[in-house]
C-alpha cells in the first residue's frame, strides 16, 4: 500500500496540476516527488498521472486522490481528538467566514475568545461560502460561518442568528420625500447586488421580484463597500445587512436607509462543521460566542 506521504504528494499534484509547484507545496525537490509517485504507481499497478501540460490525474488517480483526502482528513481528526484530550479549548482552528459577515462581527468575537480561551488560535480565511464549503469537506477548513441555506451531507449546520436587511440609497433619492413608503413604491427602481457567487445575490434577486424592482446585472459589486459606494453615487439602490451598517468599517456615511411599512427582510447566519468532528464542542463554543456578539450589536 502507498504511504500517507505518497498520498499527500498525489493530492498536491492534483491541486497544483504541476510537478514543480506540487513539490514546492510539499517542501521537497521535484525529483523526490516524481520518484515517490512512480513508486506508488508500481505498488498499485496502475497509472495515476498523465504527465502532460498541465499535469492531470488519470480517472483511477482522481478516485484514489478523492479517497486519500478522506483518509488524511480522518487521520487529522484522530490526531485532533488526542490533542484535545490534553489541551481542551486550545490549538489552531481554521475558520472560513463570508466577507459579508467577518469584518463586521469577528473583531468583537475574537477579542472575547482570546480573553476567555488564551490558548486558542484562529486562522480566519474570508471567501465565497461555496469555496469554503468545498474546503470544509476536504479538511482544509475546520468550520465556517455563512448565510443560510447551506446544503450538504455529513455536515452539522447550527443556526446562530437572524440579521435584518436594509434597503439604502443616495440621500437625495426622490423616494425619501415620500411618506409611508410601501414595497410597491420601489417598482422599477434599479437595485445593485454582489455577484452571483454570493448567497446574498439570490436573496436580492428574490426581493427585487417581490417588489417589482430591477436587479442591475451589469453592475455587480465585489464587496459590501462597493455596493454602498455605488449606491451613494446614485447608480442604484442596495440591500445591506444591519451588522455592516452599524460597523465602523461600514456605516451610512454616504447612504440613507429607507423606512418601508410592513417590510422586514432578513438573512439567517449559521455555523457549519463536519459531523463527528473532533473539535465539535469547541466549534459550538465559537459559534455561540459569535452569535452572542451579533445579538448584542443588533439589540
Amino acid at each position: 500500500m502507498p504511504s500517507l506521504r505518497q498520498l499527500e504528494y498525489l493530492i498536491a499534484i492534483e491541486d497544483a496540476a504541476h510537478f514543480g509547484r506540487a513539490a514546492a507545496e510539499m517542501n521537497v525537490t521535484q525529483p523526490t516527488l516524481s520518484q515517490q509517485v512512480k513508486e506508488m504507481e508500481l505498488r498499485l499497478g496502475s497509472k495515476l498521472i498523465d504527465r502532460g501540460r498541465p499535469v492531470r490525474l488519470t480517472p483511477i488517480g482522481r478516485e484514489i486522490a478523492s479517497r486519500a483526502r478522506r483518509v488524511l482528513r480522518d487521520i487529522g481528526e484522530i490526531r485532533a481528538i488526542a490533542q484535545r484530550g490534553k489541551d481542551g479549548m486550545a490549538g489552531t482552528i481554521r475558520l472560513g467566514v463570508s466577507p459579508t459577515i467577518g469584518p463586521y462581527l469577528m473583531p468583537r468575537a475574537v477579542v472575547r475568545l482570546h480573553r476567555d480561551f488564551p490558548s486558542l488560535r484562529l486562522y480566519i480565511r474570508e471567501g465565497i461560502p461555496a469555496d469554503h464549503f468545498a474546503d470544509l469537506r476536504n479538511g482544509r477548513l475546520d468550520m465556517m460561518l455563512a448565510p443560510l441555506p447551506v446544503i450538504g451531507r455529513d455536515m452539522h449546520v447550527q443556526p446562530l442568528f437572524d440579521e435584518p436587511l436594509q434597503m439604502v440609497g443616495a440621500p437625495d433619492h426622490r423616494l425619501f420625500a415620500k411618506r409611508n413608503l410601501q414595497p410597491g413604491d420601489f417598482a422599477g427602481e434599479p437595485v445593485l447586488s454582489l455577484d452571483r457567487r454570493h448567497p446574498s445575490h439570490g436573496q436580492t434577486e428574490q426581493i427585487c421580484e417581490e417588489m417589482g424592482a430591477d436587479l442591475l446585472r451589469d453592475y455587480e459589486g465585489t464587496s459590501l463597500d462597493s455596493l454602498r459606494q455605488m449606491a451613494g453615487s446614485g447608480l442604484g439602490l442596495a440591500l445591506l445587512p444591519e451588522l455592516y451598517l452599524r460597523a465602523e468599517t461600514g456605516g451610512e456615511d454616504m447612504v440613507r436607509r429607507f423606512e418601508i411599512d410592513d417590510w422586514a427582510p432578513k438573512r439567517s447566519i449559521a455555523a457549519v462543521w463536519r459531523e463527528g468532528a473532533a473539535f465539535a464542542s469547541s466549534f459550538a463554543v465559537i459559534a455561540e460566542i459569535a452569535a452572542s456578539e451579533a445579538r448584542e450589536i443588533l439589540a
Side-chain angles (χ1 to χ4, degrees):
M1 293 296 295
S3 68
L4 294 177
R5 188 62 172 170
Q6 288 172 334
L7 294 176
E8 291 177 334
Y9 291 152
L10 185 66
I11 291 170
I13 292 170
E14 182 178 41
D15 290 344
H18 189 277
F19 273 96
R21 289 194 293 270
E25 178 70 21
M26 298 303 298
N27 198 30
V28 297
T29 65
Q30 184 171 332
T32 296
L33 183 139
S34 298
Q35 179 183 355
Q36 288 296 310
V37 170
K38 288 179 181 178
E39 180 181 328
M40 181 166 50
E41 289 178 322
L42 288 173
R43 286 185 177 186
L44 295 174
S46 297
K47 183 179 180 182
L48 305 179
I49 297 174
D50 286 325
R51 293 166 172 78
R53 292 181 180 272
V55 176
R56 299 295 188 201
L57 269 58
T58 65
I60 292 177
R62 290 196 299 271
E63 178 66 22
I64 291 174
S66 176
R67 293 174 182 268
R69 291 182 193 274
R70 295 196 292 270
V71 168
L72 293 170
R73 187 188 70 193
D74 289 344
I75 289 173
E77 294 284 0
I78 291 171
R79 290 172 176 159
I81 289 171
Q83 188 65 33
R84 186 173 181 275
K86 296 188 298 181
D87 297 339
M89 281 288 287
T92 301
I93 290 176
R94 299 164 297 176
L95 172 64
V97 184
S98 167
T100 65
I101 302 171
Y104 323 111
L105 173 60
M106 290 311 297
R108 288 179 54 139
V110 166
V111 169
R112 182 170 161 188
L113 282 164
H114 187 62
R115 180 195 69 201
D116 295 346
F117 309 104
S119 296
L120 179 68
R121 302 289 182 266
L122 289 178
Y123 167 64
I124 299 175
R125 185 193 304 170
E126 288 187 11
I128 305 298
D131 295 340
H132 281 168
F133 188 75
D135 288 339
L136 188 62
R137 294 191 65 185
N138 289 330
R140 295 191 186 96
L141 289 176
D142 298 312
M143 66 178 296
M144 60 183 282
L145 299 180
L148 290 172
V150 177
I151 302 172
R153 296 179 300 171
D154 302 325
M155 293 292 168
H156 176 84
V157 179
Q158 180 67 48
L160 300 182
F161 61 92
D162 291 333
E163 180 182 14
L165 299 173
Q166 305 292 343
M167 188 72 79
V168 303
D172 61 353
H173 192 280
R174 61 179 183 82
L175 284 179
F176 285 116
K178 183 178 175 60
R179 293 184 178 181
N180 305 119
L181 279 173
Q182 304 294 320
D185 292 327
F186 291 82
E189 288 293 327
V191 177
L192 299 151
S193 175
L194 297 175
D195 72 64
R196 60 191 66 248
R197 296 175 301 162
H198 292 268
S200 64
H201 179 91
Q203 187 172 15
T204 302
E205 186 174 39
Q206 180 180 353
I207 288 173
C208 284
E209 290 177 0
E210 294 170 354
M211 302 177 79
D214 182 19
L215 182 64
L216 293 178
R217 302 184 185 277
D218 294 333
Y219 298 98
E220 293 179 340
T222 57
S223 67
L224 295 180
D225 283 342
S226 66
L227 289 185
R228 176 170 57 100
Q229 291 159 14
M230 288 190 288
S233 77
L235 181 62
L237 308 182
L239 197 65
L240 297 178
E242 187 68 31
L243 285 177
Y244 171 78
L245 289 173
R246 296 194 188 190
E248 292 182 2
T249 52
E252 302 175 57
D253 59 327
M254 64 185 72
V255 294
R256 179 180 169 190
R257 66 177 71 197
F258 293 97
E259 301 296 335
I260 307 171
D261 292 344
D262 301 320
W263 190 77
K266 61 184 180 181
R267 66 174 183 171
S268 297
I269 307 301
V272 187
W273 57 84
R274 294 183 297 276
E275 287 285 5
F279 281 86
S281 60
S282 298
F283 302 159
V285 171
I286 294 170
E288 178 50 37
I289 286 177
S292 175
E293 292 299 322
R295 289 192 293 265
E296 185 173 325
I297 296 172
L298 296 172

Short mmCIF file of all heavy atoms in Angstrom, two decimals, residues 25-51:
data_model
loop_
_atom_site.label_atom_id
_atom_site.label_comp_id
_atom_site.label_asym_id
_atom_site.label_seq_id
_atom_site.Cartn_x
_atom_site.Cartn_y
_atom_site.Cartn_z
N GLU A 25 5.04 23.01 -2.76
CA GLU A 25 4.00 22.99 -1.74
C GLU A 25 4.31 21.96 -0.66
O GLU A 25 4.05 22.19 0.53
CB GLU A 25 2.65 22.67 -2.40
CG GLU A 25 1.48 22.56 -1.43
CD GLU A 25 1.09 23.90 -0.83
OE1 GLU A 25 1.43 24.95 -1.43
OE2 GLU A 25 0.48 23.89 0.25
N MET A 26 4.88 20.82 -1.07
CA MET A 26 5.20 19.75 -0.12
C MET A 26 6.59 19.90 0.48
O MET A 26 7.03 19.06 1.27
CB MET A 26 5.08 18.39 -0.83
CG MET A 26 3.68 18.07 -1.33
SD MET A 26 2.42 18.11 -0.03
CE MET A 26 3.00 16.82 1.05
N ASN A 27 7.32 20.94 0.05
CA ASN A 27 8.65 21.23 0.59
C ASN A 27 9.65 20.09 0.31
O ASN A 27 10.44 19.71 1.19
CB ASN A 27 8.56 21.52 2.09
CG ASN A 27 9.79 22.25 2.62
OD1 ASN A 27 10.44 23.00 1.87
ND2 ASN A 27 10.13 22.04 3.87
N VAL A 28 9.58 19.56 -0.90
CA VAL A 28 10.54 18.54 -1.35
C VAL A 28 11.01 18.93 -2.73
O VAL A 28 10.45 19.82 -3.38
CB VAL A 28 9.90 17.13 -1.39
CG1 VAL A 28 9.48 16.70 0.00
CG2 VAL A 28 8.72 17.08 -2.35
N THR A 29 12.05 18.27 -3.21
CA THR A 29 12.52 18.52 -4.55
C THR A 29 11.60 17.84 -5.55
O THR A 29 10.93 16.84 -5.24
CB THR A 29 13.96 18.02 -4.75
OG1 THR A 29 13.97 16.59 -4.61
CG2 THR A 29 14.90 18.64 -3.73
N GLN A 30 11.60 18.34 -6.77
CA GLN A 30 10.76 17.73 -7.80
C GLN A 30 11.17 16.29 -8.10
O GLN A 30 10.30 15.42 -8.25
CB GLN A 30 10.79 18.57 -9.08
CG GLN A 30 9.86 18.04 -10.17
CD GLN A 30 9.74 19.00 -11.33
OE1 GLN A 30 9.89 20.21 -11.17
NE2 GLN A 30 9.45 18.46 -12.51
N PRO A 31 12.49 15.97 -8.18
CA PRO A 31 12.86 14.56 -8.40
C PRO A 31 12.35 13.64 -7.29
O PRO A 31 11.93 12.51 -7.56
CB PRO A 31 14.39 14.61 -8.43
CG PRO A 31 14.71 15.98 -8.90
CD PRO A 31 13.67 16.86 -8.28
N THR A 32 12.39 14.11 -6.04
CA THR A 32 11.89 13.29 -4.93
C THR A 32 10.41 13.01 -5.10
O THR A 32 9.95 11.87 -4.94
CB THR A 32 12.14 14.00 -3.59
OG1 THR A 32 13.54 14.12 -3.38
CG2 THR A 32 11.52 13.21 -2.44
N LEU A 33 9.65 14.06 -5.42
CA LEU A 33 8.22 13.88 -5.61
C LEU A 33 7.93 12.92 -6.76
O LEU A 33 7.10 12.02 -6.65
CB LEU A 33 7.55 15.24 -5.84
CG LEU A 33 6.03 15.22 -5.99
CD1 LEU A 33 5.41 16.39 -5.24
CD2 LEU A 33 5.63 15.29 -7.45
N SER A 34 8.62 13.11 -7.90
CA SER A 34 8.40 12.25 -9.07
C SER A 34 8.73 10.79 -8.75
O SER A 34 7.99 9.87 -9.14
CB SER A 34 9.25 12.73 -10.25
OG SER A 34 8.88 14.03 -10.64
N GLN A 35 9.83 10.59 -8.03
CA GLN A 35 10.23 9.23 -7.67
C GLN A 35 9.19 8.56 -6.78
O GLN A 35 8.86 7.39 -6.96
CB GLN A 35 11.59 9.26 -6.98
CG GLN A 35 12.09 7.88 -6.55
CD GLN A 35 13.41 7.96 -5.80
OE1 GLN A 35 14.00 9.03 -5.68
NE2 GLN A 35 13.87 6.84 -5.29
N GLN A 36 8.66 9.32 -5.81
CA GLN A 36 7.68 8.75 -4.90
C GLN A 36 6.38 8.41 -5.62
O GLN A 36 5.73 7.40 -5.31
CB GLN A 36 7.40 9.74 -3.76
CG GLN A 36 8.54 9.87 -2.76
CD GLN A 36 8.79 8.56 -2.02
OE1 GLN A 36 7.88 7.94 -1.49
NE2 GLN A 36 10.05 8.12 -2.04
N VAL A 37 5.99 9.23 -6.58
CA VAL A 37 4.78 8.94 -7.33
C VAL A 37 4.96 7.71 -8.20
O VAL A 37 4.07 6.86 -8.30
CB VAL A 37 4.38 10.16 -8.19
CG1 VAL A 37 3.25 9.80 -9.16
CG2 VAL A 37 3.93 11.32 -7.30
N LYS A 38 6.12 7.58 -8.83
CA LYS A 38 6.40 6.38 -9.64
C LYS A 38 6.37 5.12 -8.77
O LYS A 38 5.85 4.08 -9.18
CB LYS A 38 7.76 6.52 -10.33
CG LYS A 38 7.77 7.53 -11.47
CD LYS A 38 9.16 7.62 -12.09
CE LYS A 38 9.19 8.64 -13.23
NZ LYS A 38 10.55 8.78 -13.81
N GLU A 39 6.94 5.22 -7.56
CA GLU A 39 6.92 4.07 -6.66
C GLU A 39 5.49 3.71 -6.28
O GLU A 39 5.14 2.52 -6.20
CB GLU A 39 7.74 4.40 -5.41
CG GLU A 39 7.79 3.25 -4.40
CD GLU A 39 8.58 3.60 -3.15
OE1 GLU A 39 9.54 4.38 -3.26
OE2 GLU A 39 8.22 3.08 -2.08
N MET A 40 4.66 4.72 -6.06
CA MET A 40 3.27 4.45 -5.73
C MET A 40 2.55 3.78 -6.89
O MET A 40 1.76 2.85 -6.69
CB MET A 40 2.57 5.77 -5.34
CG MET A 40 1.11 5.60 -4.96
SD MET A 40 0.41 7.06 -4.12
CE MET A 40 0.89 8.36 -5.24
N GLU A 41 2.82 4.22 -8.12
CA GLU A 41 2.20 3.60 -9.29
C GLU A 41 2.64 2.14 -9.42
O GLU A 41 1.83 1.26 -9.77
CB GLU A 41 2.57 4.39 -10.55
CG GLU A 41 1.87 5.75 -10.63
CD GLU A 41 2.26 6.55 -11.86
OE1 GLU A 41 3.45 6.49 -12.23
OE2 GLU A 41 1.40 7.21 -12.45
N LEU A 42 3.91 1.87 -9.12
CA LEU A 42 4.39 0.49 -9.19
C LEU A 42 3.72 -0.36 -8.12
O LEU A 42 3.32 -1.51 -8.38
CB LEU A 42 5.91 0.45 -9.01
CG LEU A 42 6.74 0.97 -10.20
CD1 LEU A 42 8.21 1.05 -9.84
CD2 LEU A 42 6.54 0.05 -11.41
N ARG A 43 3.57 0.18 -6.92
CA ARG A 43 2.94 -0.58 -5.84
C ARG A 43 1.49 -0.92 -6.16
O ARG A 43 1.00 -2.01 -5.87
CB ARG A 43 2.99 0.22 -4.53
CG ARG A 43 4.35 0.29 -3.89
CD ARG A 43 4.25 1.00 -2.54
NE ARG A 43 5.53 1.02 -1.84
CZ ARG A 43 5.68 1.48 -0.60
NH1 ARG A 43 4.62 1.94 0.05
NH2 ARG A 43 6.85 1.46 -0.02
N LEU A 44 0.79 0.04 -6.77
CA LEU A 44 -0.63 -0.16 -7.05
C LEU A 44 -0.88 -0.83 -8.39
O LEU A 44 -1.98 -1.30 -8.67
CB LEU A 44 -1.36 1.20 -7.02
CG LEU A 44 -1.39 1.89 -5.65
CD1 LEU A 44 -2.01 3.28 -5.76
CD2 LEU A 44 -2.17 1.07 -4.63
N GLY A 45 0.14 -0.83 -9.25
CA GLY A 45 -0.01 -1.45 -10.56
C GLY A 45 -0.91 -0.68 -11.49
O GLY A 45 -1.52 -1.25 -12.40
N SER A 46 -1.02 0.65 -11.31
CA SER A 46 -1.89 1.48 -12.14
C SER A 46 -1.21 2.82 -12.41
O SER A 46 -0.49 3.34 -11.56
CB SER A 46 -3.23 1.73 -11.44
OG SER A 46 -3.95 0.54 -11.25
N LYS A 47 -1.49 3.36 -13.59
CA LYS A 47 -1.01 4.69 -13.91
C LYS A 47 -1.93 5.71 -13.26
O LYS A 47 -3.15 5.69 -13.44
CB LYS A 47 -0.99 4.91 -15.43
CG LYS A 47 -0.42 6.26 -15.84
CD LYS A 47 -0.39 6.41 -17.35
CE LYS A 47 0.18 7.76 -17.75
NZ LYS A 47 0.19 7.96 -19.21
N LEU A 48 -1.36 6.61 -12.48
CA LEU A 48 -2.15 7.57 -11.73
C LEU A 48 -2.11 8.97 -12.32
O LEU A 48 -3.00 9.78 -12.04
CB LEU A 48 -1.65 7.64 -10.27
CG LEU A 48 -1.62 6.30 -9.51
CD1 LEU A 48 -1.08 6.53 -8.10
CD2 LEU A 48 -2.98 5.65 -9.49
N ILE A 49 -1.08 9.27 -13.13
CA ILE A 49 -0.88 10.64 -13.60
C ILE A 49 -0.60 10.65 -15.10
O ILE A 49 0.19 9.85 -15.60
CB ILE A 49 0.30 11.30 -12.85
CG1 ILE A 49 -0.02 11.40 -11.35
CG2 ILE A 49 0.60 12.68 -13.41
CD1 ILE A 49 1.12 11.90 -10.51
N ASP A 50 -1.28 11.55 -15.82
CA ASP A 50 -0.95 11.85 -17.21
C ASP A 50 0.04 13.00 -17.19
O ASP A 50 -0.30 14.14 -16.82
CB ASP A 50 -2.20 12.25 -18.00
CG ASP A 50 -3.10 11.06 -18.29
OD1 ASP A 50 -2.55 9.96 -18.52
OD2 ASP A 50 -4.33 11.23 -18.29
N ARG A 51 1.26 12.72 -17.59
CA ARG A 51 2.34 13.70 -17.46
C ARG A 51 2.40 14.60 -18.68
O ARG A 51 3.31 14.54 -19.49
CB ARG A 51 3.67 12.98 -17.21
CG ARG A 51 3.72 12.28 -15.86
CD ARG A 51 4.86 11.31 -15.76
NE ARG A 51 5.03 10.77 -14.40
CZ ARG A 51 4.28 9.81 -13.88
NH1 ARG A 51 3.31 9.26 -14.62
NH2 ARG A 51 4.48 9.38 -12.66
#
